[in-house]
Amino acid sequence: MNIILNTHTGYVDVMNSKQDITLPSGITIDKILEVYEKMLMVRTLDERVWAMNRQGKVPIAASCQGHEAAQLGTLLAAEQGPECFFFTYYRDLALKFGVGLDETQIMLSYLGKEGDPYSNGRQFPLQGSDLPRNIIQLSNVVAAGMTQAVGHALASKIQNKSTVTMSFFGDGASSQGECHEAMNFAGIHKLPIIFICENNHYAISVPQKLQMAISEVSERAPGYGLEALSIDGSDLLQVYETMQKAIDLAKTFNPVLVEMNVERIMPHTSDDDHTRYRDLSEIDELTSRDPLKKLESLILENNLSSDIQIKKIKEACIERINTATTLAEAAPEPDTKTLMNNLFVE
Amino acid sequence: MAELSVIESIRTTLWEEMKRDPSVIVLGEDIGQRGGVFLATQGFLEEFGATRVIDTPLAEASIMGVALGASFNGLRPIPEVQFSDFIWPGLNQIIGEASKTSYGSNGQLNAPMVIRIPYGGGIRGGLYHSQNVESYFFHTPGLKICAPSTPYDAKGLLKSAIRDNNPVIFLEHKKTYRLVRGEVPDQDYSIPIGKADIKRSGQDITVISYGLMLHYCLEAAKLLEDKKVDSEIIDLMSLRPLDIPTIVESVKKTGKLIIVHEDNITGGVGAEIAAMVSDLAFDYLDGPIKRICGPDIPTMPFAKSLEDAYLPNTQSIYDGILELSQY
Ligand SMILES: Cc1ncc(C[n+]2csc(CCOP(=O)(O)OP(=O)(O)O)c2C)c(N)n1
Ligand SMILES: [Mg+2]
């Protein structure tokens, strides 16, 4: 046992020596701590924008709480190559932060301010494109991005680009005709694509059993000639390992459907009240499948970090987000002279 | 220089552009082995191979969505809608998505695609093989729309459309495909999108049309020479952007305006032109702005008598011009 006197806080940091934990290949303890810090940033941001919605500052927020491990675990695998491109959806804050957007840019987007990197205030927060970070486009029409992702993957294959395209969508989106068309096309042409269903078992208020007769979306994969993987999307390491497999398959032209079972911890959006359609007991239980809590337990149980370290990280996150909020609130709104701009490109 | 039909002109233009630019691909139903139901891509599969000439599943949403996604990633896809009447399942990707690509990303992303649409009637196509779909796109900012009436214009506009970095709706009137023939230069030339063409210049009355109807307008104008009515016939060629300066200038000269289209009268292209002219050239008008258009029923019926009754024709256009010229 090491006892370290923390000169900043004056606390005595008690830390057991790191236990032997078997980590998947390519993952280090530092990596896990790095992802943990990102996840904490995402959670804190998510909570902050929700609070700012209640203050009347952020017009709309779709919470990512419960989905963070699915998205960050995917990026962890994607980091190892080949180059990946993303067609995300509106519940993908973790992915959008994970690819490198900073908290100030995110705040600018939530507030619809000048400098929003996605659309400069034309669309809902974080909708549009973030091309420098390989986020191609996000449609607010549920499942419309799926056929586009297939087209993107088709173009990669035609042009011999060794890349993988990822299409993120919800369980509700899986009912759309375009979901069927997208998977069918990808299967026929054996495209380098991964369909990632973040199954939180609700589409706003409609539960999965009213959305489909099957218990897992991934059961449909064989019907399209896709590989299927179905996992616990709240478990970071499971997501990472699964996505490694999925990327290996996709890059060798075996399109995959990965179903990540997650929980939507918050209501659908800041305009929703999920107590209208969910039992309180169900809502209470959601935290047991909270990916952040799970990752925190993994870290603490294996002594990868200490309570005090974690407390410090949390404080630092709040500090960063406070600064971002101040900056974004002070930023100007988009100039009304830009209203008609960029309807077409040259 | 060769004399070609509209469909031959389209086919050779597509061929030339696919030869010129390897990023151009075509996709749609039956366009490969069969060469398309109108043979616009006859022989393409053999020449360019199955990676660039894609027989898609029978599913318009994905034909459009896949084309759009491919346009985000280095290609210039040309999806073909087999008949305009079957575009509805793909509309979300065009109106909901492609049109917003640049605006919605504040100019980061763009969609260089050309959606080829055989449209229009007078071919006993009935309710599901005759439709005029242009006004739905005409209402949508972010799309360009071409509607050529001759083989020459079809080549020039299709070249521009394929080289344009924005989504272009390319409307090909089915009845003109084989009916209308004309000289088409062998060399590469293009016609700018957004420019109308004065197909016949005149002093007395301005007649605006596009597609098949343009030819009926020209016939009517010829017959009206006997009545000493000198009509100016403007072929819009592009519906969006609309060539307002050419229209306004002509109306300022003639003082009278008729718009002729096969599409339903209500909310059609003609309604917008009438509104614009009354705004920009009101003082120059010597009579009401008239429209000769399809009536407000879904489209032309199958029976010959009913189809004829729906469509404007040389006679009805002749009568309309004569009446307004005497106003
Ligand atoms: C085509 C379409 N229909 C309806 C909506 C409204 N809407 C937005 S999200 C949503 C539910 C989507 O549920 P799911 O796909 O499971 O994703 P989740 O929100 O649960 O992550 C609905 C009905 C929409 N955006 N697009
Ligand atoms: Mg859901």
Side-chain angles (χ1 to χ4, degrees):
Chain A
M1 181 180 291
N2 304 322
I3 299 180
I4 304 157
L5 179 65
N6 188 311
T7 49
H8 293 294
T9 60
Y11 293 128
V12 175
D13 198 345
V14 182
M15 194 172 180
N16 290 320
S17 53
K18 287 165 186 171
Q19 283 183 3
D20 286 337
I21 165 176
T22 12
L23 293 172
S25 76
I27 292 288
T28 58
I29 291 172
D30 283 348
K31 251 297 162 232
I32 290 187
L33 294 176
E34 193 187 306
V35 175
Y36 172 72
E37 199 170 326
K38 279 187 187 155
M39 203 184 284
L40 207 50
M41 273 298 286
V42 171
R43 178 61 60 91
T44 317
L45 266 167
D46 195 287
E47 289 168 349
R48 176 65 57 89
V49 295
W50 199 273
M52 288 168 74
N53 169 267
R54 297 313 190 233
Q55 295 171 334
K57 291 176 177 168
V58 165
I60 177 96
S63 170
C64 170
Q65 293 184 39
H67 290 235
E68 295 97 332
Q71 297 163 24
L72 294 175
T74 297
L75 288 180
L76 205 50
E79 264 171 28
Q80 301 175 352
E83 188 174 11
C84 294
F85 291 89
F86 310 99
F87 285 72
T88 69
Y89 81 120
Y90 50 79
R91 205 176 294 294
D92 286 358
L93 175 63
L95 190 107
K96 288 156 189 159
F97 180 75
V99 291
L101 210 60
D102 70 40
E103 59 274 16
T104 306
Q105 292 170 305
I106 287 174
M107 272 301 170
L108 289 169
S109 193
Y110 272 100
L111 291 167
K113 291 294 186 79
E114 174 71 35
D116 154 31
Y118 270 80
S119 74
N120 213 38
R122 286 154 180 224
Q123 300 212 48
F124 270 4
L126 305 176
Q127 302 197 8
S129 302
D130 181 13
L131 294 188
R133 281 159 287 267
N134 283 9
I135 292 186
I136 302 298
Q137 111 105 357
L138 189 162
S139 171
N140 207 152
V141 177
V142 160
M146 298 183 74
T147 51
Q148 295 164 21
V150 169
H152 186 274
L154 176 74
S156 289
K157 190 173 181 182
I158 290 176
Q159 296 169 102
N160 297 315
K161 297 178 182 174
S162 304
T163 63
V164 167
T165 307
M166 297 189 187
S167 169
F168 296 81
F169 61 104
D171 43 300
S174 78
S175 298
Q176 283 280 1
E178 287 216 34
C179 174
H180 160 75
E181 290 191 31
M183 292 182 181
N184 187 43
F185 199 106
I188 293 167
H189 290 275
K190 299 199 94 27
L191 299 180
I193 188 166
I194 306 172
F195 296 102
I196 298 163
C197 181
E198 298 180 33
N199 187 353
N200 58 21
H201 314 286
Y202 278 97
I204 307 187
S205 66
V206 179
Q208 184 177 336
K209 69 175 194 303
L210 295 179
Q211 202 74 239
M212 64 194 84
I214 49 180
S215 59
E216 295 193 334
V217 172
S218 56
E219 287 172 46
R220 295 191 183 137
Y224 301 117
L226 305 182
E227 303 280 345
L229 300 165
S230 183
I231 55 160
D232 177 357
S234 67
D235 179 333
L236 181 79
L237 296 181
Q238 201 179 328
V239 171
Y240 166 74
E241 286 185 292
T242 306
M243 286 309 295
Q244 272 191 319
K245 238 179 270 165
I247 291 170
D248 281 344
L249 284 165
K251 75 179 184 201
T252 52
F253 305 113
N254 297 294
V256 199
L257 168 56
V258 181
E259 177 168 21
M260 304 208 182
N261 288 290
V262 293
E263 300 298 341
R264 194 192 77 203
I265 293 174
M266 298 293 281
H268 174 68
T269 64
S270 50
D271 288 337
D272 183 33
D273 167 9
H274 61 173
T275 61
R276 294 168 73 102
Y277 53 85
R278 281 178 128 170
D279 290 339
L280 288 177
S281 60
E282 180 187 315
I283 294 172
D284 282 345
E285 274 167 33
L286 293 174
T287 49
S288 70
R289 304 232 315 120
D290 179 342
L292 183 64
K293 290 223 164 70
K294 283 185 164 184
L295 186 57
E296 217 165 271
S297 308
L298 176 100
I299 289 168
L300 291 174
E301 278 161 22
N302 293 289
N303 299 310
L304 308 184
S305 186
S306 67
D307 279 335
I308 287 186
Q309 240 359 80
I310 283 181
K311 187 164 175 281
K312 275 171 60 185
I313 297 173
K314 285 182 178 168
E315 283 166 3
C317 284
I318 290 172
E319 198 54 45
R320 279 173 67 181
I321 289 164
N322 286 345
T323 308
T325 308
T326 309
L327 285 171
E329 283 187 328
E333 304 245 337
D335 190 332
T336 53
K337 287 198 209 74
T338 65
L339 178 70
M340 304 300 288
N341 289 1
N342 292 320
L343 182 60
F344 293 106
V345 296
E346 282 297 301
Chain B
M1 186 87 87
E3 204 207 65
L4 300 178
S5 65
V6 169
I7 190 71
E8 285 163 351
S9 172
I10 286 166
R11 185 190 307 128
T12 48
T13 307
L14 286 171
W15 182 282
E16 282 172 26
E17 288 299 283
M18 287 192 70
K19 281 281 187 199
R20 187 188 59 82
D21 181 354
S23 72
V24 177
I25 64 164
V26 290
L27 65 161
E29 294 158 11
D30 305 292
I31 68 151
Q33 202 66 48
R34 196 191 185 285
V37 295
F38 297 104
L39 305 180
T41 53
Q42 190 175 27
F44 281 43
L45 181 64
E46 294 80 352
E47 180 67 19
F48 301 106
T51 47
R52 292 181 66 199
V53 182
I54 303 171
D55 262 328
T56 64
L58 203 171
E60 285 74 10
S62 53
I63 294 172
M64 295 305 148
V66 166
L68 180 58
S71 83
F72 298 159
N73 190 10
L75 296 184
R76 290 184 177 273
I78 309 180
E80 176 182 288
V81 181
Q82 198 159 67
F83 289 84
S84 60
D85 313 70
F86 310 128
I87 200 166
W88 311 120
L91 222 52
N92 174 44
Q93 290 294 340
I94 306 171
I95 290 181
E97 301 290 308
S99 71
K100 296 183 183 69
T101 299
S102 174
Y103 192 81
S105 64
N106 199 26
Q108 288 180 73
L109 194 65
N110 65 307
M113 67 194 283
V114 181
I115 301 162
R116 290 188 42 246
I117 310 177
Y119 78 112
I123 48 143
R124 304 293 307 279
L127 295 191
Y128 286 99
H129 291 80
S130 304
Q131 291 172 37
N132 289 86
V133 296
E134 53 268 37
S135 53
Y136 300 92
F137 304 112
F138 183 68
H139 185 66
T140 306
L143 299 176
K144 298 185 180 183
I145 310 172
C146 301
S149 62
T150 69
Y152 179 90
D153 298 345
K155 175 168 176 176
L157 282 167
L158 188 51
K159 293 245 171 188
S160 292
I162 293 170
R163 297 169 192 188
D164 201 289
N165 288 324
N166 299 283
V168 181
I169 304 288
F170 202 83
L171 295 165
E172 303 166 7
H173 198 290
K174 295 195 292 287
K175 190 163 180 170
T176 66
Y177 267 161
R178 286 182 179 78
L179 190 68
V180 180
R181 302 183 65 83
E183 294 289 316
V184 179
D186 296 328
Q187 69 264 29
D188 197 64
Y189 67 94
S190 61
I191 296 173
I193 298 174
K195 281 295 293 168
D197 184 35
I198 299 176
K199 286 273 188 309
R200 181 188 196 283
S201 60
Q203 297 299 320
D204 300 338
I205 188 163
T206 301
V207 181
I208 296 176
S209 193
Y210 56 92
L212 176 69
M213 291 297 131
L214 189 273
H215 298 283
Y216 297 167
C217 293
L218 287 170
E219 278 178 6
K222 183 115 195 67
L223 294 170
L224 280 158
E225 285 171 6
D226 288 351
K227 297 272 179 194
K228 300 277 177 282
V229 179
D230 187 16
S231 316
E232 176 146 301
I233 311 289
I234 297 179
D235 184 354
L236 288 176
M237 297 203 299
S238 296
L239 307 185
R240 264 213 161 188
L242 204 51
D243 186 353
I244 299 162
T246 298
I247 296 170
V248 168
E249 206 178 307
S250 174
V251 173
K252 283 183 176 174
K253 179 175 67 176
T254 64
K256 288 180 174 161
L257 173 61
I258 296 188
I259 306 123
V260 180
H261 60 62
E262 180 178 319
D263 196 1
N264 310 104
I265 189 161
T266 299
V269 173
E272 183 59 32
I273 293 174
M276 225 145 46
V277 168
S278 78
D279 183 9
L280 300 172
F282 183 75
D283 291 344
Y284 296 84
L285 286 170
D286 291 330
I289 299 171
K290 288 288 190 185
R291 287 176 292 165
I292 302 173
C293 304
D296 285 333
I297 53 172
T299 187
M300 60 211 80
F302 178 63
K304 177 89 171 73
S305 60
L306 298 177
E307 181 178 69
D308 288 347
Y310 175 97
L311 282 168
N313 56 38
T314 305
Q315 186 62 52
S316 63
I317 296 167
Y318 176 98
D319 294 344
I321 296 176
L322 189 61
E323 194 187 330
L324 183 60
S325 71
Q326 291 164 351
Y327 181 87

